[in-house]
Amino acid sequence: MMENIHQWLVVALFVICSVITTVKSDVSNHKYKSGEAVPLYANKVGPFQNPSETYRYFDLPFCLPDDLKEKKEALGEVLNGDRLVSAPYKLDFLVDKDSESICSKKLSKQDVGKFRKAISKDYYFQMYFDDLPLWGFIGKYDTKEQKYYLFKHLQFEVLYNKNHVIEVNVQTDPTALVDITQDKEVNVDFMYTVRWKETNIPFKKRMDKYSQNSSLPHHLEIHWFSIINSCVTVLLLTGFLATILMRVLKNDFVKYAHDEETAEDQEETGWKYIHGDVFRYPQHKSLFAAALGSGTQLFALTIFIFILALVGVFYPYNRGALFTALVVIYALTSGIAGYTASSFYCQLEGTNWVRNLILTGGLFCGPLFITFCFLNTVAISYSATAALPFGTIVIIGLIWGLVTSPLLVLGGIAGKNSKAEFQAPCRTTKYPREIPPLPWYRGTLPQMAMAGFLPFSAIYIELYYIFASVWGHRIYTIYSILFIVFIILVIVTAFITIALTYFQLAAEDHEWWWRSFLCGGSTGLFIYGYCLYYYYGRSDMTGFMQTSFFFGYMACICYAFFLMLGTIGFRAALFFVRHIYRSIKCE
């Protein structure tokens, strides 16, 4: 069985890597001869402060090329909102051009209005030249003169090494401006200049420029400070738990080993008195097993993503690679969810495993699908590139129907047939013991607040850089540090859940199953709270579309964290509870 799993994992990694590495340019070897055309694609335009609100490049009335062609894009590129089309600029290898005219265009009042509105919202454009990204602004607003100016002259500077393109930059000519303040027709001569310069930078290091920003010394200092802060938190928590395990539990074991006269002390050693109830199966066990299955799948997905990131698959501007990986890996790991949920559900003596499997398949995908339908409708109403074409939706549907669902069912059948029994050191009594009255701070919500605060405090510094990358224009490439932070997050979540579970059992509250899951996953709620702070305090995002995309998709991401960390919290608590009850003699 384990050999089959290992073979499946190897095959899955091979498929993922082969799918992701197909996201390349038209020219496979990136080698050119003098005078040969180098592919230049115009991608999108949009407000600089709203990364999700992007539109097709030619939604603005720029000069159209003679042969307008759309580039065939991979799944991840479409999900990323990329819509590449051939640009009107002709950049031939090693051919300099000086003030070359693209076209002379008469802008109508409507065209002028479009450009003026775009400039007022600080629109930028993005292009790709030989798979290298370049950006620029389409115009500027002069606050002193209170006038809108359109840039009509782009200046390209290209660095090359032998027959390779190494770097490209674009600037606007500050003297070539067109006043579009007034509502009237305007004649514009769009031009561009190209300068080729030789460099010694090797081709294999041409992407280093884009990742250097996140590796600057002062950035690294902040990252390492974050890790040291998190490590201190882990050490303190570990010491705190060691004190509990070595002192309190040791005393408990010594007392239970003695005569029954010490059993009067229920405040410290109350957890022994509920040995007949502690392994009583939780309510809504089908939902509980489904949550564990989904959480385990999401944890496996995260580990696979980190593996690909650490081996260098997600280099800067590998268009859509991350989205492709997420879709493919989620589909291939659905068998893990089916196996885990079905196996645990049968251990809890559940009978309707088919319903449990359906619940597992829809527990995360259901809310994600509803969110997607709403946000895609919003994007369509805005005519934004974030709106997925019908063909892409069909492809995702086919992946879900032909890969995800069959693997989920196969995993569920394997889990059902595993016939594993729940390992409980103590027998469960016929009737549940009454839980004594507890103070308010031992309720579910206060415990979740306490459980989520420490793991969140260990990651909140790193969160800013991740948010600035996902919801901004920063580049995040320090995946090794991010992986260390993730490991710290997992450890702290497990430890704090164990500690709170011990205190709960000591208070003779035996309903720890759901509590441990909710406490472990509560960090996801803290992350969503950070979303509010980031949106209103650290970003300049505005507008209904950007707001709905930010809070909608972050809700899905935080929900995924809730399921994943909840699973980790429960597994740690289950290991701890089994250990302490195995160490005493239960009647």
Side-chain angles (χ1 to χ4, degrees):
M1 180 69 182
M2 289 302 295
E3 290 181 0
N4 292 334
I5 293 175
H6 288 152
Q7 291 174 358
W8 180 85
L9 290 176
V10 171
V11 171
L13 271 175
F14 175 76
V15 171
I16 293 162
C17 291
S18 62
V19 168
I20 293 170
T21 51
T22 57
V23 184
K24 293 183 179 180
S25 72
D26 290 348
V27 182
S28 57
N29 57 8
H30 297 278
K31 292 182 179 179
Y32 305 98
K33 298 176 182 178
S34 180
E36 186 178 354
V38 183
L40 174 65
Y41 291 102
N43 187 13
K44 51 193 176 184
V45 295
F48 186 76
Q49 69 274 13
N50 291 350
S52 300
E53 186 185 346
T54 55
Y55 304 94
R56 291 176 179 271
Y57 182 80
F58 290 111
D59 283 353
L60 291 178
F62 290 111
C63 291
L64 291 169
D66 296 331
D67 52 340
L68 182 64
K69 295 180 182 178
E70 292 192 3
K71 182 179 181 297
K72 190 176 180 181
E73 292 163 327
L75 174 64
E77 293 176 288
V78 179
L79 294 175
N80 195 39
D82 292 334
R83 303 291 186 270
L84 275 67
V85 295
S86 51
Y89 308 98
K90 304 297 182 185
L91 276 68
D92 299 325
F93 195 67
L94 302 183
V95 178
D96 287 348
K97 294 184 180 180
D98 190 16
S99 299
E100 184 92 3
S101 177
I102 307 173
C103 74
S104 295
K105 188 167 185 177
K106 188 174 185 179
L107 300 179
S108 64
K109 290 182 181 180
Q110 186 179 4
D111 293 340
V112 169
K114 284 184 180 180
F115 275 124
R116 189 166 57 241
K117 182 180 178 183
I119 294 170
S120 68
K121 291 186 176 181
D122 211 18
Y123 268 43
Y124 73 100
F125 66 82
Q126 184 189 44
M127 298 183 183
Y128 280 94
F129 180 68
D130 190 39
D131 275 353
L132 295 173
L134 57 152
W135 307 264
F137 288 96
I138 66 169
K140 70 173 184 177
Y141 175 68
D142 193 318
T143 53
K144 292 182 179 180
E145 299 180 3
Q146 293 187 344
K147 287 186 176 182
Y148 293 91
Y149 292 104
L150 176 68
F151 296 134
K152 67 174 185 177
H153 189 179
L154 293 185
Q155 299 172 329
F156 295 92
E157 182 183 80
V158 188
L159 303 183
Y160 70 96
N161 186 351
K162 296 180 181 177
N163 55 356
H164 287 293
V165 174
I166 304 300
E167 186 179 325
V168 61
N169 297 297
V170 62
Q171 294 179 334
T172 52
D173 187 348
T175 61
L177 303 174
V178 179
D179 187 352
I180 56 171
T181 308
Q182 297 180 3
D183 248 347
K184 63 179 183 180
E185 294 182 348
V186 178
N187 291 315
V188 183
D189 292 326
F190 288 100
M191 299 178 294
Y192 68 107
T193 296
V194 185
R195 292 283 182 268
W196 291 82
K197 296 182 180 180
E198 193 169 6
T199 180
N200 294 323
I201 300 173
F203 176 76
K204 62 181 180 180
K205 291 187 177 181
R206 72 173 189 162
M207 283 295 179
D208 291 356
K209 165 192 172 183
Y210 303 102
S211 58
Q212 283 173 355
N213 185 46
S214 31
S215 304
L216 291 174
H218 66 279
H219 284 286
L220 284 176
E221 286 177 9
I222 296 172
H223 287 295
W224 282 115
F225 172 78
S226 169
I227 288 180
I228 293 171
N229 172 60
S230 302
C231 287
V232 170
T233 303
V234 172
L235 289 174
L236 290 175
L237 190 58
T238 307
F240 175 65
L241 281 173
T243 303
I244 293 176
L245 295 174
M246 295 179 67
R247 289 189 177 185
V248 181
L249 281 175
K250 186 178 180 181
N251 291 339
D252 289 350
F253 294 150
V254 170
K255 288 177 183 178
Y256 291 143
H258 284 78
D259 202 19
E260 287 290 328
E261 63 190 42
T262 57
E264 298 290 330
D265 188 6
Q266 295 188 7
E267 183 64 29
E268 281 188 18
T269 60
W271 56 270
K272 194 226 183 231
Y273 293 94
I274 57 172
H275 65 82
D277 295 282
V278 73
F279 292 107
R280 189 179 305 280
Y281 299 147
Q283 294 181 332
H284 313 295
K285 53 189 177 185
S286 182
L287 177 61
F288 190 79
L292 286 182
S294 297
T296 306
Q297 179 188 7
L298 292 168
F299 181 72
L301 168 67
T302 306
I303 295 299
F304 273 119
I305 290 293
F306 271 118
I307 291 173
L308 294 176
L310 293 172
V311 298
V313 172
F314 305 131
Y315 58 83
Y317 300 106
N318 184 6
R319 294 189 305 274
L322 178 59
F323 287 102
T324 304
L326 287 171
V327 172
V328 173
I329 297 174
Y330 185 83
L332 293 176
T333 54
S334 58
I336 296 174
Y339 180 85
T340 305
S342 184
S343 173
F344 196 79
Y345 180 66
C346 291
Q347 288 181 40
L348 300 183
E349 299 177 4
T351 55
N352 198 342
W353 68 276
V354 175
R355 186 183 66 177
N356 172 253
L357 211 55
I358 295 172
L359 186 60
T360 305
L363 193 62
F364 178 70
C365 286
L368 180 63
F369 177 73
I370 293 171
T371 304
F372 162 75
C373 288
F374 170 73
L375 295 179
N376 203 57
T377 304
V378 172
I380 291 172
S381 67
Y382 273 72
S383 300
T385 59
L388 294 189
F390 179 74
T392 303
I393 297 175
V394 170
I395 290 173
I396 294 176
L398 288 174
I399 291 174
W400 190 86
L402 300 178
V403 180
T404 306
S405 297
L407 287 177
L408 180 72
V409 173
L410 289 174
I413 294 172
K416 172 182 171 292
N417 295 333
S418 65
K419 297 180 180 179
E421 294 184 0
F422 185 77
Q423 302 297 320
C426 305
R427 286 184 299 177
T428 303
T429 57
K430 188 174 182 180
Y431 299 104
R433 181 188 180 96
E434 184 179 356
I435 298 174
L438 299 174
W440 66 270
Y441 56 84
R442 288 194 181 275
T444 301
L445 290 178
Q447 293 288 296
M448 287 176 66
M450 285 188 276
F453 177 74
L454 267 176
F456 175 76
S457 66
I459 65 169
Y460 81 97
I461 296 177
E462 207 66 25
L463 274 181
Y464 168 75
Y465 291 96
I466 298 170
F467 273 59
S469 174
V470 176
W471 300 104
H473 300 280
R474 283 177 179 262
I475 302 169
Y476 193 98
T477 56
I478 317 176
Y479 299 115
S480 54
I481 289 181
L482 186 60
F483 183 65
I484 295 172
V485 171
F486 176 73
I487 295 298
I488 292 171
L489 173 65
V490 170
I491 294 172
V492 176
T493 300
F495 280 2
I496 195 66
T497 308
I498 289 173
L500 291 176
T501 301
Y502 171 79
F503 289 132
Q504 182 183 356
L505 297 178
E508 298 184 27
D509 181 357
H510 53 79
E511 295 180 346
W512 62 275
W513 297 68
W514 273 109
R515 179 74 65 82
S516 63
F517 188 92
L518 295 173
C519 287
S522 60
T523 306
L525 302 179
F526 275 81
I527 296 174
Y528 200 67
Y530 181 83
C531 292
L532 293 169
Y533 163 73
Y534 182 83
Y535 182 85
Y536 292 106
R538 303 301 296 270
S539 77
D540 297 317
M541 291 184 278
T542 56
F544 177 73
M545 177 182 167
Q546 183 61 44
T547 303
S548 59
F549 264 69
F550 179 78
F551 286 108
Y553 280 127
M554 282 311 302
C556 293
I557 293 171
C558 293
Y559 177 51
F561 266 91
F562 176 81
L563 292 173
M564 179 180 69
L565 295 177
T567 300
I568 291 168
F570 169 73
R571 290 294 186 184
L574 178 62
F575 174 81
F576 170 75
V577 172
R578 277 177 173 163
H579 175 74
I580 63 173
Y581 281 95
R582 196 178 286 122
S583 303
I584 63 170
K585 292 181 180 180
C586 300
E587 296 178 359

mmCIF file of all heavy atoms in Angstrom, residues 444-459:
data_model
loop_
_atom_site.group_PDB
_atom_site.id
_atom_site.type_symbol
_atom_site.label_atom_id
_atom_site.label_comp_id
_atom_site.label_asym_id
_atom_site.label_seq_id
_atom_site.Cartn_x
_atom_site.Cartn_y
_atom_site.Cartn_z
ATOM 1 N N THR A 444 -16.237 28.301 23.980
ATOM 2 C CA THR A 444 -15.597 28.028 22.683
ATOM 3 C C THR A 444 -14.956 29.281 22.086
ATOM 4 O O THR A 444 -13.793 29.261 21.668
ATOM 5 C CB THR A 444 -16.626 27.456 21.698
ATOM 6 O OG1 THR A 444 -17.183 26.258 22.245
ATOM 7 C CG2 THR A 444 -15.958 27.133 20.366
ATOM 8 N N LEU A 445 -15.695 30.393 22.048
ATOM 9 C CA LEU A 445 -15.173 31.603 21.399
ATOM 10 C C LEU A 445 -13.952 32.177 22.127
ATOM 11 O O LEU A 445 -12.949 32.504 21.485
ATOM 12 C CB LEU A 445 -16.277 32.646 21.270
ATOM 13 C CG LEU A 445 -17.381 32.302 20.252
ATOM 14 C CD1 LEU A 445 -18.457 33.389 20.240
ATOM 15 C CD2 LEU A 445 -16.798 32.133 18.854
ATOM 16 N N PRO A 446 -13.986 32.325 23.477
ATOM 17 C CA PRO A 446 -12.766 32.815 24.158
ATOM 18 C C PRO A 446 -11.569 31.885 23.960
ATOM 19 O O PRO A 446 -10.436 32.354 23.794
ATOM 20 C CB PRO A 446 -13.185 32.863 25.636
ATOM 21 C CG PRO A 446 -14.670 33.013 25.608
ATOM 22 C CD PRO A 446 -15.120 32.236 24.418
ATOM 23 N N GLN A 447 -11.826 30.578 23.945
ATOM 24 C CA GLN A 447 -10.719 29.638 23.730
ATOM 25 C C GLN A 447 -10.157 29.765 22.308
ATOM 26 O O GLN A 447 -8.947 29.685 22.099
ATOM 27 C CB GLN A 447 -11.217 28.209 23.971
ATOM 28 C CG GLN A 447 -11.595 27.916 25.413
ATOM 29 C CD GLN A 447 -10.401 27.809 26.333
ATOM 30 O OE1 GLN A 447 -9.554 26.925 26.192
ATOM 31 N NE2 GLN A 447 -10.294 28.714 27.288
ATOM 32 N N MET A 448 -11.048 29.968 21.327
ATOM 33 C CA MET A 448 -10.587 30.173 19.951
ATOM 34 C C MET A 448 -9.752 31.438 19.840
ATOM 35 O O MET A 448 -8.745 31.468 19.115
ATOM 36 C CB MET A 448 -11.783 30.249 19.006
ATOM 37 C CG MET A 448 -12.481 28.921 18.758
ATOM 38 S SD MET A 448 -13.963 29.100 17.731
ATOM 39 C CE MET A 448 -13.225 29.620 16.170
ATOM 40 N N ALA A 449 -10.159 32.491 20.553
ATOM 41 C CA ALA A 449 -9.400 33.742 20.521
ATOM 42 C C ALA A 449 -8.002 33.546 21.086
ATOM 43 O O ALA A 449 -7.008 34.032 20.535
ATOM 44 C CB ALA A 449 -10.152 34.829 21.286
ATOM 45 N N MET A 450 -7.919 32.792 22.194
ATOM 46 C CA MET A 450 -6.607 32.529 22.793
ATOM 47 C C MET A 450 -5.763 31.630 21.891
ATOM 48 O O MET A 450 -4.555 31.811 21.762
ATOM 49 C CB MET A 450 -6.792 31.882 24.170
ATOM 50 C CG MET A 450 -7.229 32.842 25.261
ATOM 51 S SD MET A 450 -7.202 32.085 26.890
ATOM 52 C CE MET A 450 -8.790 31.292 26.903
ATOM 53 N N ALA A 451 -6.420 30.646 21.268
ATOM 54 C CA ALA A 451 -5.684 29.689 20.444
ATOM 55 C C ALA A 451 -5.145 30.333 19.171
ATOM 56 O O ALA A 451 -4.062 29.984 18.702
ATOM 57 C CB ALA A 451 -6.586 28.511 20.084
ATOM 58 N N GLY A 452 -5.900 31.265 18.584
ATOM 59 C CA GLY A 452 -5.478 31.853 17.313
ATOM 60 C C GLY A 452 -4.457 32.962 17.444
ATOM 61 O O GLY A 452 -3.727 33.252 16.491
ATOM 62 N N PHE A 453 -4.386 33.574 18.636
ATOM 63 C CA PHE A 453 -3.525 34.756 18.777
ATOM 64 C C PHE A 453 -2.044 34.404 18.657
ATOM 65 O O PHE A 453 -1.296 35.092 17.950
ATOM 66 C CB PHE A 453 -3.794 35.433 20.122
ATOM 67 C CG PHE A 453 -2.912 36.619 20.376
ATOM 68 C CD1 PHE A 453 -3.132 37.816 19.704
ATOM 69 C CD2 PHE A 453 -1.836 36.537 21.252
ATOM 70 C CE1 PHE A 453 -2.302 38.912 19.924
ATOM 71 C CE2 PHE A 453 -1.009 37.620 21.464
ATOM 72 C CZ PHE A 453 -1.246 38.812 20.804
ATOM 73 N N LEU A 454 -1.611 33.353 19.337
ATOM 74 C CA LEU A 454 -0.175 33.014 19.318
ATOM 75 C C LEU A 454 0.316 32.600 17.928
ATOM 76 O O LEU A 454 1.334 33.120 17.455
ATOM 77 C CB LEU A 454 0.119 31.920 20.340
ATOM 78 C CG LEU A 454 0.555 32.418 21.722
ATOM 79 C CD1 LEU A 454 0.734 31.247 22.677
ATOM 80 C CD2 LEU A 454 1.855 33.202 21.628
ATOM 81 N N PRO A 455 -0.360 31.674 17.231
ATOM 82 C CA PRO A 455 0.108 31.354 15.872
ATOM 83 C C PRO A 455 0.089 32.567 14.948
ATOM 84 O O PRO A 455 1.005 32.737 14.134
ATOM 85 C CB PRO A 455 -0.894 30.286 15.396
ATOM 86 C CG PRO A 455 -1.434 29.691 16.640
ATOM 87 C CD PRO A 455 -1.473 30.801 17.638
ATOM 88 N N PHE A 456 -0.920 33.415 15.102
ATOM 89 C CA PHE A 456 -0.978 34.605 14.239
ATOM 90 C C PHE A 456 0.175 35.557 14.544
ATOM 91 O O PHE A 456 0.769 36.127 13.628
ATOM 92 C CB PHE A 456 -2.317 35.326 14.434
ATOM 93 C CG PHE A 456 -2.410 36.616 13.676
ATOM 94 C CD1 PHE A 456 -2.622 36.628 12.307
ATOM 95 C CD2 PHE A 456 -2.266 37.839 14.328
ATOM 96 C CE1 PHE A 456 -2.696 37.821 11.604
ATOM 97 C CE2 PHE A 456 -2.327 39.034 13.638
ATOM 98 C CZ PHE A 456 -2.544 39.022 12.268
ATOM 99 N N SER A 457 0.507 35.711 15.817
ATOM 100 C CA SER A 457 1.609 36.605 16.177
ATOM 101 C C SER A 457 2.938 36.097 15.634
ATOM 102 O O SER A 457 3.872 36.876 15.454
ATOM 103 C CB SER A 457 1.688 36.755 17.702
ATOM 104 O OG SER A 457 2.053 35.522 18.307
ATOM 105 N N ALA A 458 3.019 34.788 15.367
ATOM 106 C CA ALA A 458 4.262 34.223 14.830
ATOM 107 C C ALA A 458 4.408 34.471 13.335
ATOM 108 O O ALA A 458 5.509 34.353 12.798
ATOM 109 C CB ALA A 458 4.310 32.720 15.115
ATOM 110 N N ILE A 459 3.316 34.823 12.644
ATOM 111 C CA ILE A 459 3.391 34.959 11.183
ATOM 112 C C ILE A 459 3.010 36.343 10.675
ATOM 113 O O ILE A 459 3.152 36.614 9.483
ATOM 114 C CB ILE A 459 2.475 33.922 10.483
ATOM 115 C CG1 ILE A 459 0.999 34.200 10.826
ATOM 116 C CG2 ILE A 459 2.865 32.509 10.850
ATOM 117 C CD1 ILE A 459 0.017 33.400 9.993
#
